[in-house]
Amino acid sequence: MPTILAVSGSPSPVSLTHRVLTRAAERLGARGHRVDVLAVRTLPAAELLAADTSHPGVAAAARRFAEADAVVLATPVYKAGYSGLLKAYLDLLPQFALDGKVVLPLATGGSLAHVLALDYGLRPVLMSMKPAAVAESFFVHAERAEAMGDLLDSATDRFAELVEALHRPARRLAPAAA
């Protein structure tokens, strides 16, 4: 099964974004995927902002991204944009870091107006990184979070199916009889 890196761009260890990412990661794990969770907030701030990939912690975070077959990116939305923490992490990665990978963008926010941050802010950045596919973005409104669990599960399942389809070994056809 493919390996999935679940990245939290939340500056808070206890947040709706963390809960959303945890739920998605657990669902992917239940499907048999190996899920590696990375909280960007745990990286050394000065080195992250400087994109200092010579620092062991930053280099390890970049290596985990490179080794993953697929990526889930979760971010809170602030002032109609994804988190600066996630931006700093994406900025330190190589230009085509998503080459061959499937990505699921997830976001949380307090206003339905923030839904557009995913498709107008984050998606263009992801597309510039040359992914194999970007799954349908999913936004969780803070006031409706408890009611959105089944919808999040469905979005996670669609992402998993896409990952599985793209990483399924090609079947060899038997040679035709002469």
Side-chain angles (χ1 to χ4, degrees), residues 10-23:
S10 175
S12 174
V14 180
S15 66
L16 176 57
T17 303
H18 175 74
R19 289 196 320 265
V20 166
L21 184 65
T22 299
R23 183 172 181 142

Side-chain angles (χ1 to χ4, degrees), residues 5 59-71 89 93-94 97 99 101:
L5 179 64
R63 190 169 42 257
R64 289 164 69 184
F65 195 96
E67 292 171 353
D69 298 303
V71 181
Y89 181 63
L93 298 171
D99 189 16
K101 299 180 191 315

